[in-house]
Protein backbone atom coordinates (compact mmCIF):
# COMPACT_ATOMS: atom_id res chain seq x y z
CA UNK A 1 0.00 0.00 0.00
CA UNK A 2 1.47 3.35 -1.04
CA UNK A 3 1.63 6.42 1.20
CA UNK A 4 1.26 8.71 -1.83
CA UNK A 5 -1.82 10.92 -1.88
CA UNK A 6 -4.74 10.18 -4.19
CA UNK A 7 -4.20 13.33 -6.26
CA UNK A 8 -0.51 12.50 -6.80
CA UNK A 9 -1.26 8.93 -7.90
CA UNK A 10 -4.10 10.12 -10.12
CA UNK A 11 -1.92 12.78 -11.74
CA UNK A 12 0.72 10.16 -12.52
CA UNK A 13 -2.01 7.99 -14.08
CA UNK A 14 -3.25 10.92 -16.20
CA UNK A 15 0.28 11.58 -17.46
CA UNK A 16 1.10 7.92 -18.11
CA UNK A 17 -2.17 7.54 -20.02
CA UNK A 18 -1.46 10.73 -22.01
CA UNK A 19 -4.85 12.01 -20.87
CA UNK A 20 -3.33 15.27 -19.60
CA UNK A 21 -1.99 17.42 -22.43
CA UNK A 22 -0.19 20.74 -22.42
CA UNK A 23 -0.33 23.25 -25.25
CA UNK A 24 -2.97 25.58 -26.70
CA UNK A 25 -6.52 24.21 -26.64
CA UNK A 26 -9.89 25.78 -27.41
CA UNK A 27 -12.52 24.46 -24.99
CA UNK A 28 -16.23 24.01 -25.63
CA UNK A 29 -16.71 27.25 -23.68
CA UNK A 30 -14.53 29.08 -26.22
CA UNK A 31 -11.78 29.71 -23.69
CA UNK A 32 -8.17 29.17 -24.74
CA UNK A 33 -6.61 26.80 -22.23
CA UNK A 34 -2.93 25.80 -21.79
CA UNK A 35 -4.00 22.31 -20.72
CA UNK A 36 -6.59 19.74 -21.69
CA UNK A 37 -7.84 16.53 -20.10
CA UNK A 38 -8.84 14.01 -22.75
CA UNK A 39 -11.13 11.26 -21.45
CA UNK A 40 -10.76 9.54 -24.82
CA UNK A 41 -7.23 8.51 -23.79
CA UNK A 42 -8.67 5.84 -21.47
CA UNK A 43 -9.11 3.60 -24.47
CA UNK A 44 -8.30 0.08 -23.31
CA UNK A 45 -9.41 -2.31 -20.60
CA UNK A 46 -6.46 -1.69 -18.31
CA UNK A 47 -6.81 2.10 -18.33
CA UNK A 48 -10.57 2.16 -17.84
CA UNK A 49 -10.28 -0.41 -15.04
CA UNK A 50 -7.71 1.76 -13.25
CA UNK A 51 -9.84 4.83 -13.78
CA UNK A 52 -12.80 3.05 -12.17
CA UNK A 53 -10.58 2.15 -9.22
CA UNK A 54 -9.71 5.84 -8.71
CA UNK A 55 -13.39 6.78 -8.78
CA UNK A 56 -14.21 3.98 -6.34
CA UNK A 57 -11.40 5.03 -3.99
CA UNK A 58 -12.67 8.62 -3.97
CA UNK A 59 -16.26 7.46 -3.37
CA UNK A 60 -15.21 5.15 -0.52
CA UNK A 61 -13.25 8.03 1.08
CA UNK A 62 -16.25 10.35 0.84
CA UNK A 63 -18.51 7.69 2.36
CA UNK A 64 -16.05 7.30 5.23
CA UNK A 65 -16.02 11.10 5.67
CA UNK A 66 -19.82 11.22 5.74
CA UNK A 67 -20.16 13.23 2.52
CA UNK A 68 -21.86 10.36 0.68
CA UNK A 69 -24.21 7.66 2.02
CA UNK A 70 -22.97 4.10 2.26
CA UNK A 71 -26.10 2.61 0.70
CA UNK A 72 -25.82 3.87 -2.88
CA UNK A 73 -28.09 1.83 -5.15
CA UNK A 74 -26.62 2.63 -8.55
CA UNK A 75 -23.89 4.64 -10.23
CA UNK A 76 -25.21 6.66 -13.18
CA UNK A 77 -23.05 7.78 -16.11
CA UNK A 78 -24.54 9.99 -18.85
CA UNK A 79 -24.17 8.68 -22.40
CA UNK A 80 -21.76 8.41 -23.99
CA UNK A 81 -18.59 9.22 -22.07
CA UNK A 82 -20.17 8.41 -18.72
CA UNK A 83 -21.02 4.83 -19.69
CA UNK A 84 -17.57 3.25 -19.13
CA UNK A 85 -17.14 5.43 -16.03
CA UNK A 86 -20.33 4.06 -14.43
CA UNK A 87 -19.52 0.45 -15.34
CA UNK A 88 -15.88 0.50 -14.23
CA UNK A 89 -16.73 2.37 -11.01
CA UNK A 90 -19.47 -0.12 -10.10
CA UNK A 91 -17.09 -3.02 -10.75
CA UNK A 92 -14.37 -1.44 -8.58
CA UNK A 93 -16.78 -0.58 -5.76
CA UNK A 94 -17.96 -4.18 -5.71
CA UNK A 95 -14.59 -5.86 -6.15
CA UNK A 96 -12.34 -3.54 -4.14
CA UNK A 97 -14.68 -2.11 -1.51
CA UNK A 98 -17.31 -4.80 -0.95
CA UNK A 99 -20.22 -2.61 -2.03
CA UNK A 100 -23.11 -4.14 -3.93
CA UNK A 101 -23.98 -1.36 -6.33
CA UNK A 102 -25.56 -1.25 -9.78
CA UNK A 103 -24.77 0.83 -12.83
CA UNK A 104 -27.14 2.77 -15.05
CA UNK A 105 -26.81 4.89 -18.16
CA UNK A 106 -29.25 6.60 -20.49
CA UNK A 107 -30.04 6.07 -24.12
CA UNK A 108 -29.87 9.03 -26.45
CA UNK A 109 -33.26 8.01 -27.85
CA UNK A 110 -36.02 6.02 -26.20
CA UNK A 111 -36.13 2.39 -27.33
CA UNK A 112 -39.60 1.27 -28.41
CA UNK A 113 -38.94 -2.47 -28.74
CA UNK A 114 -37.43 -5.26 -26.61
CA UNK A 115 -36.95 -4.07 -23.04
CA UNK A 116 -37.72 -0.49 -24.13
CA UNK A 117 -37.24 2.61 -22.04
CA UNK A 118 -34.58 5.29 -21.68
CA UNK A 119 -32.29 3.55 -19.19
CA UNK A 120 -29.87 0.64 -19.49
CA UNK A 121 -28.57 -1.39 -16.55
CA UNK A 122 -30.09 -1.10 -13.10
CA UNK A 123 -33.58 0.31 -13.62
CA UNK A 124 -34.52 3.30 -11.51
CA UNK A 125 -37.27 3.09 -8.88
CA UNK A 126 -38.74 5.51 -6.34
CA UNK A 127 -36.50 6.03 -3.33
CA UNK A 128 -33.28 4.80 -4.96
CA UNK A 129 -30.03 6.57 -4.08
CA UNK A 130 -28.23 7.46 -7.32
CA UNK A 131 -24.62 8.66 -7.57
CA UNK A 132 -23.64 10.49 -10.75
CA UNK A 133 -20.19 10.14 -12.34
CA UNK A 134 -18.73 12.25 -15.13
CA UNK A 135 -15.29 13.21 -16.40
CA UNK A 136 -14.52 16.94 -16.39
CA UNK A 137 -17.05 19.67 -15.67
CA UNK A 138 -16.63 23.00 -17.44
CA UNK A 139 -20.12 24.53 -17.32
CA UNK A 140 -22.35 21.84 -15.81
CA UNK A 141 -24.44 21.45 -18.96
CA UNK A 142 -24.48 17.64 -18.84
CA UNK A 143 -25.79 17.64 -15.26
CA UNK A 144 -28.61 20.02 -16.13
CA UNK A 145 -29.60 17.73 -19.00
CA UNK A 146 -29.44 14.48 -17.04
CA UNK A 147 -31.17 15.40 -13.77
CA UNK A 148 -34.60 15.90 -15.43
CA UNK A 149 -34.17 12.57 -17.24
CA UNK A 150 -33.55 10.77 -13.97
CA UNK A 151 -36.45 12.49 -12.21
CA UNK A 152 -38.74 11.62 -15.13
CA UNK A 153 -37.94 7.92 -14.65
CA UNK A 154 -38.56 7.72 -10.89
CA UNK A 155 -38.50 9.71 -7.67
CA UNK A 156 -34.83 8.98 -7.02
CA UNK A 157 -32.49 10.75 -4.62
CA UNK A 158 -29.36 12.04 -6.36
CA UNK A 159 -26.78 11.84 -3.58
CA UNK A 160 -23.83 13.44 -5.36
CA UNK A 161 -21.64 13.77 -8.43
CA UNK A 162 -18.05 12.54 -8.67
CA UNK A 163 -15.78 13.98 -11.37
CA UNK A 164 -12.32 12.97 -12.46
CA UNK A 165 -11.04 16.58 -12.49
CA UNK A 166 -12.39 19.88 -11.22
CA UNK A 167 -11.06 22.62 -13.54
CA UNK A 168 -11.96 25.19 -10.84
CA UNK A 169 -13.21 27.72 -13.40
CA UNK A 170 -15.97 30.23 -12.86
CA UNK A 171 -19.04 30.01 -15.07
CA UNK A 172 -19.68 32.60 -17.75
CA UNK A 173 -22.52 34.25 -15.84
CA UNK A 174 -21.22 34.23 -12.26
CA UNK A 175 -18.13 34.19 -10.08
CA UNK A 176 -19.00 30.70 -8.84
CA UNK A 177 -17.15 27.69 -10.19
CA UNK A 178 -19.20 25.24 -12.24
CA UNK A 179 -18.95 22.80 -9.32
CA UNK A 180 -20.25 25.32 -6.78
CA UNK A 181 -22.98 26.48 -9.17
CA UNK A 182 -24.27 22.92 -9.59
CA UNK A 183 -24.14 22.32 -5.83
CA UNK A 184 -26.13 25.50 -5.23
CA UNK A 185 -28.67 24.69 -7.95
CA UNK A 186 -29.32 21.02 -7.17
CA UNK A 187 -28.37 20.66 -3.51
CA UNK A 188 -26.10 17.63 -3.80
CA UNK A 189 -22.31 17.57 -3.29
CA UNK A 190 -19.93 17.62 -6.25
CA UNK A 191 -16.45 16.24 -5.68
CA UNK A 192 -13.47 15.39 -7.85
CA UNK A 193 -10.65 12.86 -7.64
CA UNK A 194 -8.34 15.87 -8.05
CA UNK A 195 -8.55 19.54 -8.96
CA UNK A 196 -6.30 21.33 -11.42
CA UNK A 197 -4.23 23.04 -8.74
CA UNK A 198 -3.49 19.67 -7.11
CA UNK A 199 -2.67 18.18 -10.52
CA UNK A 200 -0.24 20.93 -11.46
CA UNK A 201 1.46 20.81 -8.07
CA UNK A 202 1.81 17.02 -8.34
CA UNK A 203 3.02 17.29 -11.95
CA UNK A 204 5.97 19.40 -10.86
CA UNK A 205 7.22 16.49 -8.72
CA UNK A 206 6.63 13.74 -11.31
CA UNK A 207 9.57 13.25 -13.67
CA UNK A 208 9.71 12.24 -17.30
CA UNK A 209 12.12 9.54 -18.52
CA UNK A 210 14.86 12.15 -19.02
CA UNK A 211 14.55 13.44 -15.46
CA UNK A 212 12.69 16.69 -16.10
CA UNK A 213 9.34 17.43 -14.45
CA UNK A 214 6.21 16.93 -16.54
CA UNK A 215 5.02 20.33 -15.39
CA UNK A 216 7.84 22.74 -16.12
CA UNK A 217 8.02 26.27 -14.71
CA UNK A 218 6.76 27.56 -18.06
CA UNK A 219 3.72 25.25 -18.05
CA UNK A 220 2.98 26.08 -14.41
CA UNK A 221 3.16 29.80 -15.15
CA UNK A 222 0.74 29.44 -18.08
CA UNK A 223 -1.68 27.48 -15.88
CA UNK A 224 -1.42 30.08 -13.11
CA UNK A 225 -2.16 32.86 -15.59
CA UNK A 226 -5.16 30.99 -16.96
CA UNK A 227 -6.58 30.37 -13.49
CA UNK A 228 -5.93 33.99 -12.52
CA UNK A 229 -8.21 34.98 -15.40
CA UNK A 230 -10.86 32.26 -15.24
CA UNK A 231 -10.45 30.55 -11.87
CA UNK A 232 -13.15 30.71 -9.25
Amino acid sequence: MTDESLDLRFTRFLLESQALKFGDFTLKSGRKSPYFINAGAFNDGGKIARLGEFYAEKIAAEIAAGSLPGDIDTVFGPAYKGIPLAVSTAIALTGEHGMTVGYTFDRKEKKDHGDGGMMVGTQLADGMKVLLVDDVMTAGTAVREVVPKLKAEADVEIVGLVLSVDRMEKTKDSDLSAVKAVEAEFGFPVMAIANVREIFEAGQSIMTADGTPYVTDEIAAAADAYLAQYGA
Side-chain angles (χ1 to χ4, degrees):
M1 186 72 174
T2 179
D3 290 330
E4 290 184 344
S5 64
L6 176 60
D7 53 87
L8 177 60
R9 288 182 284 114
F10 186 61
T11 301
R12 183 177 289 112
F13 171 61
L14 291 177
L15 292 166
E16 289 173 351
S17 303
Q18 298 187 325
L20 175 57
K21 298 284 192 180
F22 307 113
D24 185 18
F25 303 96
T26 301
L27 306 179
K28 188 189 294 185
S29 63
R31 294 171 179 170
K32 299 282 189 181
S33 173
Y35 55 90
F36 181 67
I37 293 131
N38 177 23
F42 307 119
N43 54 9
D44 63 38
K47 290 173 187 172
I48 199 65
R50 284 188 68 196
L51 182 59
E53 289 167 2
F54 279 112
Y55 272 88
E57 183 178 346
K58 178 63 177 177
I59 292 164
E62 295 295 342
I63 290 171
S67 302
L68 290 174
D71 55 347
I72 297 163
D73 292 296
T74 192
V75 177
F76 179 88
Y80 291 102
K81 288 191 294 182
I83 295 173
L85 299 182
V87 174
S88 61
T89 299
I91 290 170
L93 285 171
T94 301
E96 301 293 326
H97 301 278
M99 293 176 60
T100 302
V101 60
Y103 70 86
T104 308
F105 59 89
D106 58 326
R107 292 185 169 100
K108 287 293 188 181
E109 296 179 355
K110 191 168 185 175
K111 186 178 176 185
D112 59 5
H113 60 279
D115 55 354
M118 281 296 295
M119 300 295 166
V120 181
T122 299
Q123 296 301 297
L124 304 180
D126 291 353
M128 272 189 170
K129 289 184 171 68
V130 178
L131 177 64
L132 309 182
V133 290
D134 208 349
D135 56 355
V136 180
M137 180 190 292
T138 302
T141 305
V143 180
R144 292 181 178 89
E145 290 175 352
V146 86
V147 168
K149 283 186 179 182
L150 294 173
K151 294 293 189 179
E153 285 290 310
D155 184 19
V156 299
E157 178 187 355
I158 300 172
V159 297
L161 165 63
V162 181
L163 306 169
S164 59
V165 177
D166 177 4
R167 287 186 63 100
M168 303 179 74
E169 293 178 31
K170 58 190 174 188
T171 61
K172 284 189 172 182
D173 53 0
S174 81
D175 286 330
L176 290 176
S177 70
V179 162
K180 294 300 181 186
V182 166
E183 287 183 332
E185 183 174 344
F186 294 105
F188 53 71
V190 180
M191 51 212 73
I193 299 170
N195 64 51
V196 289
R197 292 194 187 279
E198 292 169 335
I199 286 170
F200 275 90
E201 183 178 347
Q204 290 176 292
S205 67
I206 299 172
M207 301 299 161
T208 64
D210 63 6
T212 59
Y214 274 99
V215 175
T216 62
D217 291 343
E218 182 181 8
I219 291 171
D224 286 342
Y226 181 81
L227 287 171
Q229 182 175 3
Y230 296 117

